[in-house]
Amino acid sequence: MTEGFPSTHNEAHDSFVGFQASEVHNSTINMVPPDASPQKKYEVGVRCLEEGLPGRARELIWDAITHNHDGPQVRFHWVLAMLSKRAHHDLSAEERHQLDRTRDVMQGYAEDKDWKPGLQVVFDLLALPGKADSETAAVLKRLRDLAPPQRDLIVHHLDLVLTSRTKATLWAEICELAKAGQFHGDRSRRVRYYFEPDPIGARTRPPEESTAFRHRPRLAAWTGLFVVAAGFLGISAVIAEPLTAIVELLLALGTGFLAARFGRRWWHNKHRLQAKEQELGQASNQAPVPDPAHSPAAPSPASAGGGAPVADGFTSRVRTSFEYYFGTYVPHGFDRPEWLAHTAGIRAVLAAEAAFLYRESRISVDRVNWLIRYLARDARDRHNNGTLFAHRQRYRTPVTMKLACVLALAVLGVTSLAVTATAATGSASALHALVTVGVFFGAVGSGRRAASVWLDMRSEERRFAEETREYHLRMYAREEEFQRWKEYLEAIRPSDAEMEAWLSHDKVLFTADVLRHHQLTWYDIIAHTILTTPARPYRRARRRGGPWRYSRYTLRLFLATRNGIREIRTEVDFARATRLVEQRTNYRFNAFSSVQVTEDDRIGYEMALLLSNGPARTIRIKDADSHQLEPYENARDLSQINLDAAGFAHTFRLLEGIAADGKAWIERNNADSPPPADSTD
């Protein structure tokens, strides 16, 4: 199953640009209530670790441990959270002591086949610096003998604390795992659905309230006058010539009944058809929306982040979205412009309805696109089965019915004249005859007015009944489509753990390509870090309480070697896992004069690298979140979560250390020379 996703490419460099495609999924999977059990906190902590949030994972798992939820599995994940995205020197002295105490506590755990051996291997790897090659080989053998889940978790999360010798030995296997997992789980098709917003519920415009009751007083008045006049004529005719008058009156009643029966449907059909055609005509005469397929600057309904919103607001974006999807779902036999012209009125009516129903603060058209897609498909399908303009067939009055109605009215008119003539000829005086003729004209006038009001009232009652029935049918169909789309999104949308795993594989393969290009091995690398930041134009989304995920990333790999710093920057199209551009920069150790970080509520986090021989380089770490906060979310906590996901803390510490002490700091702070447990560095 595939759905259309309109998009546009808006370039913006070194400037602040507003967002259009920021979505917060209403998921509570990683929300921890205040009264959560230690078991629940541990489970959420493990999920946070899988999703690239080791800081949050450390807090939750340690909270569970302090409340007596302990064991080799719990400690295994806590140690991984402690070391993930961190080097030895990023740990505080207290954290190093906690690791030492965990190594002692581990000895008292009951033996099992997975978690305790995995935990032991972690501590063996931490103790490798300075050990002989034979000991390293033995530890690596124990690592390879672990079950795949434990082994892969250790290799992934201990990336920054493994020694260069260990990393070099495992690198080929790490790269193979990354290649195997980079597109695992149908990544290319599913990633875009992560950025699809949660759809807003089904709505349809209810029928306008019936105004039939307003006709009742006039109907009663005109009917009363008609009954009095007709009664006078009928009684006068029966008195004059009883037998003839009875025949005439029965014929008048019969033809009147037939005229009312046929005329009522004709009247209703005529006025409803006029109303429908007038609605379509007025809608199609509105100012057209630029065709997004032929206007590159026109914003699409699911446009990439980094573009300003459409100037004329929500209604214009809804109409543009209708243009896009009607142009996507074109029936056989039409080309796109022809179909858009053919459906201009229908499209405009539907767009006006959607804009009216969903015009709410902070409701983007992206949340309504599921309905617009459905309406576009429905229009195509109705054209294919011949019901696109069904009202024209529905409200077409058959010629036979019109002829029957005209004939009945003609006979009624002749019969009415005959009754009047009978009543007049039987009069004893000329005055009575004149009065009879006057009453006849009064009966015709009041009867015509009464019939007109009655027809309007019955047509309004029928209109309300029809629209009420159509309302329920539309609502049922739209609710079904809403539920289908919602279930489809839930089934196909990747989890945060999958998004993080794919990003990790991209980082590994990017690093491998860089090392191959520069002909470097891990023995040549003193320290390294990868900073993950958004690349414009992008779409972004997150679950409530989670980090932003982006459709485009910038990966910055900093490699500290004996000869200086290499910075390699690339942009990644996340769905396709393709790298779009690549830039390489080399620095001497003394080129960095300082590193500064600024936070702005409007812009977000920026890191400035101040160079001794050139202008400062500014790196946007993350964009502002304040306008995207959900209830009960804290701006400071959310910023920390996103910085944690980006790998900012280690990158900043590494670059800050280089700026302060140059190569000396690097050589003191690498995986091959970890600090002692009581070090405060």
Side-chain angles (χ1 to χ4, degrees):
M1 173 180 181
T2 59
E3 300 286 355
F5 291 87
S7 62
T8 191
H9 186 83
N10 300 312
E11 290 292 349
H13 298 285
D14 300 322
S15 62
F16 175 75
V17 187
F19 304 111
Q20 283 183 290
S22 297
E23 301 299 336
V24 182
H25 301 315
N26 189 26
S27 170
T28 58
I29 190 170
N30 284 354
M31 304 299 285
V32 183
D35 58 346
S37 66
Q39 172 71 21
K40 175 66 174 177
K41 291 179 180 178
Y42 164 70
E43 291 172 355
V44 175
V46 171
R47 280 199 294 269
C48 288
L49 182 62
E50 293 172 347
E51 295 166 8
L53 303 176
R56 179 68 172 148
R58 284 195 297 274
E59 296 174 8
L60 291 171
I61 298 175
W62 185 251
D63 192 308
I65 291 173
T66 57
H67 287 84
N68 299 320
H69 184 69
D70 200 357
Q73 182 177 356
V74 177
R75 291 281 180 161
F76 176 82
H77 286 108
W78 177 79
V79 170
L80 294 187
M82 181 68 77
L83 299 172
S84 184
K85 297 186 180 181
R86 304 171 92 189
H88 283 293
H89 295 267
D90 295 327
L91 304 176
S92 67
E94 175 58 28
E95 288 172 331
R96 295 187 196 112
H97 283 301
Q98 286 179 327
L99 287 173
D100 286 342
R101 287 195 294 271
T102 296
R103 183 168 49 201
D104 296 334
V105 169
M106 177 187 67
Q107 307 306 322
Y109 293 141
E111 295 295 332
D112 67 0
K113 65 176 183 178
D114 294 321
W115 302 108
K116 188 173 180 180
L119 192 56
Q120 182 62 60
V121 167
V122 171
F123 286 113
D124 290 343
L125 289 169
L126 294 179
L128 277 181
K131 297 295 179 64
D133 289 347
S134 58
E135 293 184 69
T136 300
V139 173
L140 292 180
K141 182 181 183 308
R142 290 199 294 277
L143 173 65
R144 291 187 175 100
D145 288 342
L146 292 174
Q150 288 76 23
R151 181 190 65 229
D152 296 345
L153 285 172
I154 292 171
V155 172
H156 171 61
H157 291 290
L158 268 63
D159 174 61
L160 296 176
V161 297
L162 293 176
T163 64
S164 58
R165 180 171 48 190
T166 305
K167 199 76 173 285
T169 305
L170 295 173
W171 187 238
E173 298 170 48
I174 294 172
C175 291
E176 285 301 317
L177 287 173
K179 287 179 183 178
Q182 189 177 32
F183 291 97
H184 179 73
D186 203 5
R187 170 183 179 170
S188 298
R189 186 170 69 97
R190 294 175 59 212
V191 161
R192 65 180 183 177
Y193 290 98
Y194 186 87
F195 303 102
E196 274 296 293
D198 294 328
I200 193 168
R203 300 176 190 175
T204 187
R205 182 178 292 184
E208 294 183 10
E209 291 297 326
S210 174
T211 58
F213 66 92
R214 297 177 184 174
H215 298 282
R216 297 185 189 281
R218 287 192 299 140
L219 179 62
W222 288 115
T223 301
L225 289 174
F226 173 74
V227 168
V228 170
F232 174 82
L233 292 175
I235 292 171
S236 297
V238 169
I239 291 173
E241 296 184 27
L243 185 59
T244 301
I246 289 173
V247 172
E248 292 171 344
L249 289 172
L250 289 175
L251 188 58
L253 287 173
T255 54
F257 172 78
L258 291 175
R261 180 180 178 184
F262 297 133
R264 180 180 64 184
R265 181 174 173 185
W266 187 2
W267 182 279
H268 174 74
N269 288 350
K270 176 184 176 182
H271 286 81
R272 290 301 295 154
L273 184 59
Q274 288 177 345
K276 292 284 187 181
E277 291 297 317
Q278 184 179 13
E279 182 182 21
L280 291 176
Q282 289 177 344
S284 62
N285 289 332
Q286 295 175 0
V289 175
D291 187 343
H294 300 94
S295 179
S300 70
S303 56
V310 179
D312 49 349
F314 180 73
T315 299
S316 178
R317 291 193 291 273
V318 168
R319 293 177 66 196
T320 302
S321 191
F322 270 97
E323 287 272 354
Y324 175 84
Y325 286 114
F326 266 76
T328 300
Y329 298 101
V330 178
H332 180 71
F334 278 87
D335 58 23
R336 188 177 189 278
E338 185 183 7
W339 175 245
L340 290 178
H342 185 64
T343 58
I346 289 178
R347 197 171 62 251
V349 168
L350 293 173
E353 180 195 11
F356 172 78
L357 292 172
Y358 292 100
R359 184 186 298 281
E360 298 177 8
S361 60
R362 302 189 70 181
I363 295 296
S364 70
V365 70
D366 296 339
R367 298 188 63 192
V368 189
N369 276 338
W370 69 269
L371 175 61
I372 298 174
R373 279 195 299 272
Y374 164 71
L375 294 175
R377 290 198 312 269
D378 181 62
R380 178 200 61 190
D381 296 342
R382 286 193 293 125
H383 167 79
N384 290 339
N385 60 30
T387 60
L388 180 60
F389 295 98
H391 66 278
R392 292 174 181 171
Q393 180 66 28
R394 178 179 183 181
Y395 295 119
R396 186 183 66 84
T397 305
V399 176
T400 54
M401 182 176 291
K402 293 180 180 180
L403 290 175
C405 181
V406 170
L407 181 61
L409 286 172
V411 174
L412 175 62
V414 172
T415 306
S416 299
L417 287 172
V419 171
T420 303
T422 301
T425 55
S427 302
S429 64
L431 178 62
H432 186 271
L434 289 174
V435 170
T436 300
V437 173
V439 170
F440 169 74
F441 284 109
V444 171
S446 60
R448 181 175 177 277
R449 291 296 184 92
S452 176
V453 173
W454 178 76
L455 289 170
D456 283 340
M457 186 180 74
R458 293 304 302 269
S459 179
E460 176 63 10
E461 290 173 345
R462 186 170 178 181
R463 191 264 325 157
F464 182 72
E466 288 175 352
E467 290 188 354
T468 300
R469 183 166 58 252
E470 291 169 359
Y471 166 78
H472 290 299
L473 291 174
R474 285 197 311 271
M475 180 59 79
Y476 177 77
R478 293 183 185 188
E479 285 179 343
E480 272 199 330
E481 174 64 16
F482 168 74
Q483 195 61 37
R484 182 201 69 80
W485 177 244
K486 186 177 179 182
E487 291 174 356
Y488 182 72
L489 270 185
E490 290 174 354
I492 199 170
R493 180 182 284 158
S495 66
D496 272 50
E498 287 177 301
M499 297 287 282
E500 178 65 21
W502 289 327
L503 182 59
S504 296
H505 297 324
D506 290 344
K507 292 178 184 178
V508 168
L509 296 177
F510 170 51
T511 303
D513 287 346
V514 169
L515 294 178
R516 187 163 46 251
H517 175 82
H518 290 282
Q519 297 182 346
L520 296 171
T521 70
W522 284 106
Y523 292 106
D524 302 312
I525 308 302
I526 302 174
H528 74 286
T529 186
I530 292 185
L531 183 63
T532 308
T533 58
R536 292 192 178 91
Y538 60 72
R539 299 180 71 188
R540 71 174 185 172
R542 65 181 178 90
R543 57 164 173 74
R544 184 182 297 174
W548 288 110
R549 308 286 178 182
Y550 299 92
S551 60
R552 286 164 55 93
Y553 282 98
T554 295
L555 302 182
R556 281 183 175 84
L557 173 62
F558 293 91
L559 297 175
T561 67
R562 303 287 176 188
N563 299 320
I565 305 296
R566 298 178 189 265
E567 178 191 347
I568 303 89
R569 172 185 175 274
T570 190
E571 291 186 4
V572 177
D573 181 326
F574 192 65
R576 298 179 179 87
T578 55
R579 296 199 288 273
L580 307 177
V581 296
E582 191 165 304
Q583 296 177 348
R584 301 181 181 90
T585 309
N586 296 323
Y587 307 98
R588 298 188 308 275
F589 285 110
N590 59 2
F592 287 104
S593 58
S594 67
V595 181
Q596 297 177 357
V597 174
T598 58
E599 180 182 7
D600 187 290
D601 290 338
R602 188 182 69 91
I603 296 176
Y605 269 83
E606 287 186 341
M607 182 171 68
L609 303 180
L610 303 182
L611 306 177
S612 58
N613 58 351
R617 294 189 56 247
T618 301
I619 300 173
R620 178 72 58 81
I621 306 299
K622 58 178 288 294
D623 290 308
D625 307 306
S626 56
H627 65 299
Q628 291 286 339
L629 288 177
E630 293 291 298
Y632 311 112
E633 285 188 323
N634 179 277
R636 179 62 58 183
D637 291 344
L638 184 57
S639 289
Q640 189 55 52
I641 284 172
N642 283 287
L643 293 174
D644 197 17
F648 169 74
H650 177 67
T651 300
F652 178 70
R653 192 174 189 279
L654 176 64
L655 297 179
E656 185 182 44
I658 295 173
D661 296 332
K663 184 177 180 180
W665 189 91
I666 290 289
E667 292 182 338
R668 290 198 310 270
N669 292 265
N670 67 78
D672 292 318
S673 58
D678 57 353
S679 170
T680 59
D681 183 10

